[in-house]
Amino acid sequence: MRNISKQSNAVKILHKKFIAGSSEREDTFDKERVNAKIARLIFDYREDAGLTQKQLAGLIGTTQSVISRLEDADYEGHSLTMLNKIAQALNRELSIDMTDGDVISVRLQKTLIRDLKELAAGEGLDYQPYLRQILTKHVRNQKRKA
C-alpha cells in the first residue's frame, strides 16, 4: 500500500513539474492517455478472450501486425470502424462517452481561477468573492437547465 502512495506522489510531482500549467502539454498528455487506454483495453480484452493477436486478426479480417499496432500506446490512428470490429469479435459493445458541453472541465476551471487571480492581483483585489459569484451563477444556470 505504501508503494502505491509513493508512486502516486511521484506521478503528481512529475505532472506538476513537466505538464501542469502548459495547456499544450496538458492536451498532449490527455491525448496520450486516451491512446494508452484504448491500447490497454484491446490488449486486456483479447487476453481475457484467450486469443493471440493473430487469432483476433483472423476474426476481423486483418493481420497480426495491425492488432499489434492497435495495442501500442503510441498508436494514434484508432478508427471507430476497427474498434467496433474488435469489440464484436470479443463479444463486447463499443461505448463512447461525451460530456455535456456546459460542464466546465477541471482544466478550464483551473485556467479560469488562475486568470481571475492574476486579474484581481493586478487590481489589488481579492479574487475569492468574484470566484464565488461566478460559480454560484454557473450552478444556478445548471439547475435551470435540468
Side-chain angles (χ1 to χ4, degrees):
M1 189 76 146
R2 185 173 180 152
N3 286 339
I4 292 172
S5 178
K6 285 182 181 180
Q7 184 179 25
S8 177
N9 288 338
V11 169
K12 288 177 185 176
I13 291 167
L14 291 171
H15 187 274
K16 185 176 180 180
K17 184 172 182 172
F18 296 109
I19 297 170
S22 167
S23 60
E24 183 179 332
R25 287 183 187 159
E26 287 179 359
D27 288 343
T28 300
F29 182 76
D30 289 344
K31 288 176 190 172
E32 294 303 322
R33 183 182 295 165
V34 169
N35 290 335
K37 184 175 182 179
I38 292 170
R40 189 66 199 198
L41 286 172
I42 294 169
F43 174 83
D44 287 345
Y45 289 141
R46 177 182 60 77
E47 288 276 311
D48 288 348
L51 298 173
T52 65
Q53 289 180 341
K54 187 174 182 177
Q55 290 169 326
L56 177 57
L59 290 173
I60 63 172
T62 192
T63 63
Q64 177 273 329
S65 63
V66 169
I67 301 302
S68 176
R69 192 169 39 242
L70 292 166
E71 290 181 354
D72 183 342
D74 293 329
Y75 183 67
E76 297 179 354
H78 301 100
S79 74
L80 291 177
T81 302
M82 181 58 80
L83 292 174
N84 198 41
K85 285 180 183 180
I86 292 169
Q88 288 176 353
L90 298 173
N91 294 319
R92 301 284 178 167
E93 183 178 320
L94 181 62
S95 174
I96 300 171
D97 186 22
M98 299 177 91
T99 58
D100 182 353
D102 291 335
V103 175
I104 297 178
S105 71
V106 171
R107 188 176 336 137
L108 180 58
Q109 287 177 29
K110 288 178 181 178
T111 301
L112 289 172
I113 291 169
R114 184 190 68 229
D115 291 349
L116 184 58
K117 282 180 181 179
E118 289 174 8
L119 183 62
E123 299 293 320
L125 302 170
D126 179 14
Y127 75 95
Q128 290 180 340
Y130 297 105
L131 179 61
R132 274 190 229 104
Q133 185 179 2
I134 291 168
L135 292 176
T136 301
K137 184 177 180 180
H138 178 71
V139 168
R140 271 194 230 122
N141 288 338
Q142 291 298 314
K143 287 180 181 177
R144 281 189 206 130
K145 289 179 182 180

